[in-house]
Amino acid sequence: MDESLYTYLPISITPRFFILTIACLLAFFFFWKSYLLKQTRKKLASLSQDYKNLETILMASESGWIIWDTFDNTLDIHQAAFEVLQTSESEVSALDDLFNLFDPGDVTSLEKKFANLRDWSDPFDMTVSLADLPEYIEICGRNIDSYQRVIWFKNVTQQAQEMNFQASEITDLLEERNKLHTILNTINIPIWSRNSSGRMTYCNSAYANIVESTQENVITNNQSMWSEQVFDTTYSSEKNFLVPKNEHVIFNGERHLLEFTENSVHGNLVGFAQNMTQIERKQTELEQHIQAYHEVLEGVSVGITIYGPDKKLQFHNHAYTRLFDLDDSWLLS
């Protein structure tokens, strides 16, 4: 090469410098390629490990699956699916074979789910029963791409049986509750329950009739038939009940004396009210009779005293105090 050519360049470049530059560029290029190749290998190794992990997880799953290619309508059935469906590879090769495994009553709905998954990529979850066995299978359909769909199968017989058992128990409990409510509604005593914050959770018909409302409105509006002074005592761990308290309540156009009682039951308050009006009237009548007798005895000129079972003086007339010249305050003591 003619060295005079390099004298016209801005930097004086010699053949040796040019060769070194090319060598450095090639070295850098190969180094970069090697780095990219190493990173690619790492990513491939990581992806391969992820694939193996996912495959291990899938193999360990109790569920089986089918890859459905909707373009040519073929099924790629995993071995676990045959075990879940309790069939063999020779018996299932197309969708019709698959549908024949299930109870005829479920097939129509299942075919519609498959059609929506194929045409609209609509996912679905459905529980069906096998045609010849008392087994329940949960089927889940999901979209993978434009043509491929994945169908998952899981045997949920035990869970279904437990749910049926629980549903039966719930039905029995609801029937028992309704019977208890019917019995409580026939009792002519107001009965109610409240939660720990004091809100009504139940009342019988007698309670609703007294407050002139319905049982639903009593609970919704938290209607009480007593004043705030009746139940203002704080419940303690030592006492799970309140001492009965009396209060006059007007209902059915009359004034009644009710004795309110509440007990703490599992964190809730259960109460009832007894009508003490007749007892109050009898006590009033008795007091009036006693007062009348006292007035009669006071008019007698003979000294009279009445002692109780404890031998303490309960009554004396003025004739008695005049006869013995005693002090009334001393006698009363």
Side-chain angles (χ1 to χ4, degrees):
M1 184 180 292
D2 188 2
E3 295 184 3
S4 62
L5 177 63
Y6 300 100
T7 59
Y8 296 99
L9 297 174
I11 301 175
S12 179
I13 301 177
T14 63
R16 181 179 298 176
F17 179 79
F18 182 77
I19 294 171
L20 289 174
T21 302
I22 296 298
C24 289
L25 291 174
L26 289 174
F28 177 77
F29 175 77
F30 285 116
F31 173 79
W32 179 248
K33 281 292 185 181
S34 175
Y35 174 77
L36 291 179
L37 181 60
K38 188 179 294 185
Q39 294 298 318
T40 302
R41 287 175 178 172
K42 286 183 179 180
K43 289 182 179 180
L44 286 175
S46 177
L47 290 173
S48 177
Q49 185 61 44
D50 290 343
Y51 174 81
K52 291 180 180 179
N53 293 339
L54 290 174
E55 188 177 31
T56 301
I57 293 172
L58 288 174
M59 293 301 179
S61 173
E62 297 179 357
S63 303
W65 70 91
I66 292 177
I67 303 299
W68 176 26
D69 191 324
T70 60
F71 183 78
D72 54 14
N73 202 31
T74 58
L75 301 178
D76 180 13
I77 307 176
H78 186 263
Q79 182 61 38
F82 295 116
E83 297 175 2
V84 173
L85 298 174
Q86 301 189 30
T87 186
S88 61
E89 186 174 355
S90 60
E91 296 180 359
V92 182
S93 59
L95 278 180
D96 290 338
D97 300 330
L98 181 65
F99 293 144
N100 289 335
L101 297 176
F102 304 111
D103 187 273
D106 298 326
V107 171
T108 302
S109 298
L110 189 60
E111 288 177 339
K112 185 176 180 180
K113 297 287 186 182
F114 268 72
N116 290 337
L117 179 64
R118 177 194 60 206
D119 299 335
W120 309 105
S121 300
D122 287 343
F124 71 88
D125 297 273
M126 184 177 180
T127 300
V128 298
S129 57
L130 292 178
D132 302 323
L133 295 170
E135 303 284 333
Y136 293 92
I137 307 298
E138 182 183 60
I139 304 178
C140 303
R142 297 294 185 269
N143 180 56
I144 297 179
D145 54 32
S146 300
Y147 297 108
Q148 289 188 321
R149 309 289 186 265
V150 59
I151 314 297
W152 292 91
F153 301 91
K154 183 178 180 181
N155 192 314
V156 293
T157 302
Q158 183 177 355
Q159 295 91 319
Q161 291 174 345
E162 290 178 354
M163 289 181 64
N164 291 336
F165 177 75
Q166 291 175 359
S168 177
E169 281 195 327
I170 291 173
T171 301
D172 293 341
L173 289 174
L174 288 175
E175 290 180 356
E176 289 297 324
R177 186 200 67 173
N178 293 335
K179 289 179 182 178
L180 289 174
H181 283 184
T182 302
I183 294 172
L184 292 175
N185 285 331
T186 61
I187 299 175
N188 196 27
I189 296 177
I191 300 173
W192 66 89
S193 66
R194 302 190 293 163
N195 59 23
S196 58
S197 61
R199 288 199 61 85
M200 299 288 298
T201 57
Y202 170 78
C203 76
N204 66 348
S205 298
Y207 185 105
N209 292 335
I210 289 178
V211 297
E212 298 180 350
S213 182
T214 63
Q215 292 171 276
E216 293 77 11
N217 288 338
V218 168
I219 296 172
T220 302
N221 301 323
N222 197 36
Q223 293 178 264
S224 60
M225 54 185 290
W226 55 82
S227 66
E228 296 180 356
Q229 288 74 26
V230 173
F231 293 124
D232 57 357
T233 304
T234 303
Y235 287 88
S236 64
S237 57
E238 294 80 12
K239 289 185 177 181
N240 64 346
F241 63 92
L242 284 177
V243 176
K245 294 188 177 181
N246 297 338
E247 186 174 64
H248 286 97
V249 178
I250 297 176
F251 60 91
N252 295 333
E254 295 182 1
R255 186 171 181 265
H256 298 264
L257 177 66
L258 298 183
E259 182 184 69
F260 294 93
T261 304
E262 270 194 340
N263 294 274
S264 177
V265 180
H266 302 298
N268 294 316
L269 307 175
V270 178
F272 62 93
Q274 290 181 293
N275 196 327
M276 309 296 289
T277 305
Q278 292 298 329
I279 296 177
E280 182 185 38
R281 290 173 181 172
K282 294 298 182 181
Q283 289 178 340
T284 302
E285 292 176 2
L286 179 60
E287 291 174 358
Q288 290 175 349
H289 285 302
I290 293 174
Q291 182 63 31
Y293 291 146
H294 285 182
E295 291 176 358
V296 171
L297 295 177
E298 283 290 350
V300 177
S301 60
V302 178
I304 298 175
T305 58
I306 299 176
Y307 294 87
D310 56 357
K311 297 182 180 181
K312 289 186 177 180
L313 183 66
Q314 291 185 342
F315 171 80
H316 67 280
N317 62 357
H318 290 293
Y320 180 81
T321 56
R322 287 195 303 270
L323 180 62
F324 295 99
D325 193 22
L326 299 174
D327 183 57
D328 284 335
S329 59
W330 179 80
L331 285 173
L332 293 175
S333 65

